[in-house]
Amino acid sequence: MSEQVLVEARGGVLEVTINRPEQRNAMTKAAAQAIAAAMDQLDADADLRCAILSGAGGTFCAGMDLKGFLRGELPVDERGGFGGITTWTPKKPVIAAVDGYALAGGMELAFACDLIVAHEDAKFGIPEVKRGLVAAGGGAVQLPRMLPRPLAMELALTGDPIGARRAHELGLVNRLSRGPALETARELAETLVANGPLAIIATKGIVRDSWLWPVEDINTYQNPYIAHIFTSEDAKEGARAFAEKRKPEWKGE
């Protein structure tokens, strides 16, 4: 694993930290590949239920490392795209813990995660147009799917940032934090870890993929995601635990 990305497992949660604080965690190819490798670790380890992606030194990610770009380097992973996860997602949930700035590719990286926790003073934006570039890591595509088109167009064409409070009002951010975003993200992760792991994976897959499904074929498309859930040991354990008024003991089976 690259020293540009720190990885630690804590209580079923894989904490992945971009570790280039002096460069405001600007993304490099090595960091993108390290994040992609961490996501593979998340999916491969049955004891891990979700991940938190954050940045060291009070900033999430200021986007692409422009010095690397001028050298001909693109901060992408072959499968995962910018930052290792913008064109591919692990089957388990990923929470973005955003402090400081999530700009350009940094905002796209946060949007690639499934949930976003942000410090109340954090800033989000895709300023690529100010540099003669395009938010091609998902920003120009995802914003109009998450916001009314005029709002998405304004953010994309002006390149101006918005604060975390406004992002929260618009539904772009799940939770605001007065302290370090990582602390609130850990609280949210604890809630996910307490739930059935098979159900979490299936539910994430449905929420992520179902917007492409024709309405008349929803059940047909959904069935492969859930066919094994209702006959699983976890489903039986969940019912027993509810009846016995205790916490379930998940096996992931």
Side-chain angles (χ1 to χ4, degrees):
M1 193 70 69
S2 169
E3 293 182 358
Q4 296 183 24
V5 174
L6 306 178
V7 180
E8 180 182 5
R10 294 167 49 104
V13 180
L14 191 68
E15 296 190 358
V16 183
T17 306
I18 309 167
N19 188 39
R20 306 187 73 230
E22 294 180 359
Q23 293 79 30
R24 295 198 303 170
N25 298 318
M27 186 60 56
T28 65
K29 187 174 187 65
Q33 291 175 333
I35 292 171
M39 296 303 133
D40 284 336
Q41 178 182 346
L42 170 68
D43 272 353
D45 190 337
D47 292 330
L48 296 173
R49 305 295 176 79
C50 68
I52 298 174
L53 179 62
S54 65
T59 292
F60 181 69
C61 176
M64 175 172 62
D65 186 314
L66 293 179
K67 292 181 180 178
F69 173 70
L70 291 174
R71 295 193 302 268
E73 176 186 288
L74 293 177
V76 301
D77 171 74
E78 184 175 345
R79 175 193 60 188
F82 180 90
I85 59 169
T86 56
T87 59
W88 170 88
T89 186
K91 62 185 180 182
K92 300 175 185 177
V94 183
I95 302 169
V98 178
D99 294 300
Y101 292 95
L103 297 178
M107 183 172 176
E108 294 170 323
L109 192 63
F111 283 176
C113 297
D114 302 294
L115 300 161
I116 300 177
V117 173
H119 187 277
E120 58 187 6
D121 293 330
K123 302 287 186 183
F124 295 82
I126 48 172
E128 279 87 346
V129 292
K130 294 180 180 291
R131 301 171 187 142
L133 300 171
V134 174
V141 173
Q142 293 297 337
L143 272 177
R145 294 176 179 174
M146 303 169 77
L147 294 173
R149 189 172 67 174
L151 287 175
M153 196 72 78
E154 180 180 351
L155 289 174
L157 294 183
T158 66
D160 293 337
I162 60 171
R165 291 181 181 277
R166 179 59 172 155
H168 184 259
E169 291 172 356
L170 294 173
L172 297 175
V173 168
N174 296 89
R175 298 187 183 184
L176 294 174
S177 173
R178 291 186 175 180
L182 182 59
E183 295 178 3
T184 303
R186 284 171 174 165
E187 295 173 2
L188 181 55
E190 287 180 9
T191 302
L192 301 189
V193 169
N195 295 330
L198 295 180
I200 286 285
I201 291 170
T203 300
K204 169 178 172 171
I206 292 169
V207 172
R208 278 271 182 168
D209 299 343
S210 60
W211 67 274
L212 288 170
W213 299 347
V215 173
E216 63 273 16
D217 295 323
I218 283 178
N219 287 335
T220 300
Y221 281 93
Q222 180 176 258
N223 283 340
Y225 293 78
I226 65 173
H228 63 295
I229 298 296
F230 292 91
T231 58
S232 69
E233 289 300 315
D234 276 359
K236 297 173 186 176
E237 169 61 10
R240 281 194 298 265
F242 177 80
E244 296 169 7
K245 296 181 172 59
R246 60 174 174 81
K247 292 182 179 181
E249 298 180 3
W250 309 117
K251 296 181 180 179
E253 301 175 354

